[in-house]
């Protein structure tokens, strides 16, 4: 680690650091370790994806088997996009993490620390809840496939590419019955890598968005509670009354600019990846729904595909909800100006508020390739689009 990392060693961010480290994507890992882990994870994932593509080729002509192959391949695509994006934007993410560390080391008043802590605690709750939900729903698909093998039922598979217990169709061009357990272990290891990639990348975004919202909230507090802020800030104690307010407003401008810069870097680091992710998620949900309705709906099938679809919905919802939070917190700066005791300041100090108000007119956003803004309305729009594609596929079939 090449910088002090108290906050990242604490319970607030420890899980985020651990998840990214497991993929070799934690920016402060040693370069050699990071490369070894990344190459190993990539090799395992790519070899699994290749076997799934070969299975798709082997099963061509069988519509049911083809439908089973496509959703896992789409999720592979999402994971590849996330890993490549993390690797390509390593420096930007590192810059944001260093900024988080500095903010935790340089807060000026007790209220700022409380705001940072509150948002970091919320970020930790999001990380724990999202990780738990994704691992739970994501594991339903492979676990349900293994149940017949565990209970010892004499069940046979009609496909040589997916023996009983295998979560996906794979083609290794070997006797899968003879090498059953080595291939099965490979499948389940890659499934764990898939889930960890999704969770690590998305919770990293959650951590960064939460800190960005915390920066905006610090500015809002300083604007809405001018007197309290001045009383807590020892640096302003020896200044004249109007100078205290003026310095408080200049501090707000600097903090607001820092928050805007943080949001801009965050947006540029993830906008391209989100473009591919959202498109792939639409395809995955549509194909999963088509696959579920194409089979006889037994409890076993319902649980497998239901868990798969819910995991995709959770993945999409968290991204849209985080984008909505950025919009809300950045746009609230404008109204916060009016809630403070601005009328007690001099005209010179009031003019500084115009700068903050002008800069807060346009809210900060997370976008899908600069085409669509992530928000709760866009979540419903994507779900409707998935339902539309499902209807089209169903009618064509």
């Amino acid at each position: 680690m090449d910088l002090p990392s108290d906050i990242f060693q604490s319970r607030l961010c420890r899980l985020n650091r651990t998840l990214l480290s497991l993929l070799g994507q934690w920016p402060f890992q040693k370069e050699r370790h990071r490369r070894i882990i990344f190459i190993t994870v990539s090799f395992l994932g790519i070899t699994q994806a290749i076997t799934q593509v070969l299975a798709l080729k082997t099963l061509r002509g069988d519509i049911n088997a083809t439908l089973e192959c496509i959703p896992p391949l789409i999720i592979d695509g999402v994971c590849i996009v996330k890993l490549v994006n993390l690797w390509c934007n390593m420096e930007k993410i590192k810059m944001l993490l260093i900024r988080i560390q500095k903010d935790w080391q340089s807060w000026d008043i007790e209220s700022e620390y409380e705001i940072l802590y509150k948002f970091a605690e919320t970020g930790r709750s999001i990380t724990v809840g999202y990780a738990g939900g994704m691992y739970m729903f994501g594991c339903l698909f492979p676990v349900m496939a293994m149940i017949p093998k565990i209970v010892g039922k004499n069940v046979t598979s009609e496909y040589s590419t997916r023996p009983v217990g295998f979560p996906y169709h794979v083609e290794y061009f070997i006797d899968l019955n003879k090498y059953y357990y080595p291939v099965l272990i490979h499948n389940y290891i890659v499934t764990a890598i898939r889930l960890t990639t999704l969770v690590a990348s998305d919770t990293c975004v959650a951590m960064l968005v939460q800190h960005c919202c915390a920066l905006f909230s610090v500015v809002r507090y300083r604007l809405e509670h001018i007197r309290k802020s001045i009383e807590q800030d020892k640096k302003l104690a020896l200044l004249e009354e109007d100078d205290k307010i003026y310095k408080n407003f200049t501090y707000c401008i600097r903090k607001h600019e820092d928050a805007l810069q943080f949001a801009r870097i965050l947006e540029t680091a993830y906008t391209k990846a989100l473009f591919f992710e959202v498109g792939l998620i639409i395809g995955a949900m549509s194909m999963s729904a088509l696959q579920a309705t194409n089979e006889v709906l037994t409890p076993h099938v319902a649980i497998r595909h239901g868990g798969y679809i819910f995991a995709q919905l959770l993945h999409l919802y968290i991204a849209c909800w985080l984008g909505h939070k950025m919009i809300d917190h950045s746009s609230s700066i404008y109204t916060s100006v009016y809630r403070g005791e601005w009328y007690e300041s001099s005209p010179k100090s009031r003019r500084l508020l115009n700068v903050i108000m002008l800069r807060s007119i346009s809210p900060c956003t997370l976008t899908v390739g600069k085409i669509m803004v992530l928000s709760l309305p866009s979540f419903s729009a994507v779900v409707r689009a998935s339902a539309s594609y499902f209807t089209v596929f169903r009618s064509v079939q």
Side-chain angles (χ1 to χ4, degrees):
M1 311 278 281
D2 55 2
L3 88 157
S5 54
D6 297 339
I7 182 60
F8 301 124
Q9 297 288 349
S10 72
R11 58 183 290 276
L12 295 173
C13 300
R14 187 183 300 129
L15 182 56
N16 301 95
R17 175 178 59 83
T18 301
L19 289 168
L20 288 171
S21 298
L22 289 173
L23 300 173
Q25 298 301 311
W26 182 244
F28 307 114
Q29 284 176 286
K30 292 182 179 180
E31 182 71 18
R32 181 184 176 186
H33 293 168
R34 194 167 71 235
R35 288 184 180 276
I36 291 173
I37 296 171
F38 179 73
I39 291 172
T40 303
V41 167
S42 300
F43 175 77
L44 290 171
I46 290 172
T47 52
Q48 171 75 0
I50 291 173
T51 62
Q52 289 179 247
V53 172
L54 294 174
L56 186 63
K57 183 178 179 181
T58 301
L59 297 167
R60 63 183 183 276
D62 188 329
I63 185 64
N64 292 330
T66 300
L67 288 176
E68 287 186 7
C69 291
I70 293 176
L73 279 172
I74 294 176
I75 299 303
D76 282 343
V78 173
C79 293
I80 290 171
V81 169
K82 286 184 178 295
L83 275 177
V84 170
N85 185 68
L86 285 170
W87 186 266
C88 293
N89 290 285
M90 184 75 69
E91 288 304 315
K92 290 181 180 179
I93 295 173
K94 185 176 183 178
M95 190 186 308
L96 295 176
L97 294 176
I98 291 173
R99 179 54 207 258
I100 290 174
Q101 184 65 46
K102 288 181 178 178
D103 288 335
W104 275 91
Q105 293 172 343
S106 61
W107 50 272
D108 290 302
I109 61 176
E110 187 68 27
S111 296
E112 285 187 26
Y113 173 80
E114 292 173 358
I115 291 171
L116 290 173
Y117 185 87
K118 182 184 74 172
F119 278 87
E121 185 65 45
T122 303
R124 179 182 177 275
S125 299
I126 294 170
T127 299
V128 172
Y130 182 73
M134 286 296 289
Y135 279 113
M136 181 180 67
F137 289 127
C139 287
L140 280 177
F141 201 86
V143 168
M144 293 303 293
M146 180 57 74
I147 287 178
K149 190 77 174 178
I150 295 175
V151 299
K153 288 185 177 180
N154 187 21
V155 180
T156 58
S157 174
E158 60 181 305
Y159 297 109
S160 62
T161 54
R162 186 163 70 86
V164 176
F166 277 57
Y168 317 109
H169 286 280
V170 289
E171 179 60 84
Y172 289 76
F173 291 109
I174 60 175
D175 186 348
L176 293 183
N177 291 318
K178 181 178 180 181
Y179 298 98
Y180 181 86
Y181 287 104
V183 175
L184 186 68
I185 291 171
H186 181 229
N187 274 250
Y188 277 73
I189 288 175
V190 174
T191 298
I193 291 173
R194 281 196 191 114
L195 289 172
T196 302
T197 301
L198 293 173
V199 172
S201 177
D202 293 342
T203 54
C204 179
V205 177
M207 176 180 64
L208 297 175
V209 169
Q210 282 297 112
H211 187 77
C212 186
C213 292
L215 295 179
F216 285 119
S217 291
V218 166
V219 177
R220 290 175 57 201
Y221 181 87
R222 285 270 194 165
L223 291 172
E224 294 179 12
H225 305 89
I226 297 174
R227 291 296 176 190
K228 289 182 180 179
S229 300
I230 291 174
E231 290 173 3
Q232 294 180 47
D233 196 337
K234 296 179 181 179
K235 296 178 182 178
L236 304 180
L238 301 178
L239 299 177
E240 296 294 331
E241 184 64 23
D242 189 58
D243 287 340
K244 292 179 181 178
I245 298 177
Y246 184 85
K247 289 294 184 180
N248 184 65
F249 287 168
T250 57
Y251 181 86
C252 290
I253 290 175
R254 288 198 305 272
K255 281 291 184 180
H256 190 219
E257 183 59 38
D258 290 342
L260 293 174
Q261 184 181 17
F262 193 99
R264 282 194 294 268
I265 297 173
L266 179 58
E267 153 71 3
T268 56
Y270 285 96
T271 183
K272 293 179 181 178
L274 287 169
F275 174 77
F276 292 104
E277 286 178 36
V278 171
L280 290 169
I281 289 172
I282 291 175
M285 287 194 294
S286 302
M287 298 304 295
S288 295
L290 184 63
Q291 183 183 350
T293 57
N294 196 56
E295 300 182 30
V296 178
L297 195 59
T298 63
H300 182 269
V301 171
I303 292 173
R304 286 184 69 199
H305 297 305
Y308 206 67
I309 293 171
F310 272 116
Q312 295 162 35
L313 285 171
L314 178 62
H315 177 203
L316 178 63
Y317 178 80
I318 288 296
C320 293
W321 180 70
L322 291 171
H324 201 92
K325 285 198 71 173
M326 276 190 63
I327 294 172
D328 286 346
H329 281 83
S330 60
S331 60
S332 296
I333 298 290
Y334 192 91
T335 56
S336 293
V337 173
Y338 291 100
R339 295 175 182 171
E341 303 95 345
W342 57 268
Y343 44 83
E344 297 182 3
S345 62
S346 66
K348 175 185 175 183
S349 299
R350 292 178 203 169
R351 282 193 290 270
L352 294 177
L353 297 178
N354 294 331
V355 177
I356 298 177
M357 294 174 71
L358 285 172
R359 290 183 178 181
S360 61
I361 291 175
S362 299
C364 298
T365 59
L366 287 175
T367 64
V368 179
K370 305 291 185 182
I371 297 173
M372 180 181 74
V373 175
L374 282 181
S375 63
L376 294 181
S378 64
F379 170 76
S380 60
V382 172
V383 173
R384 287 197 302 270
S386 300
S388 299
Y389 281 113
F390 162 70
T391 304
V392 172
F393 292 147
R394 188 67 177 164
S395 61
V396 170
Q397 184 186 9

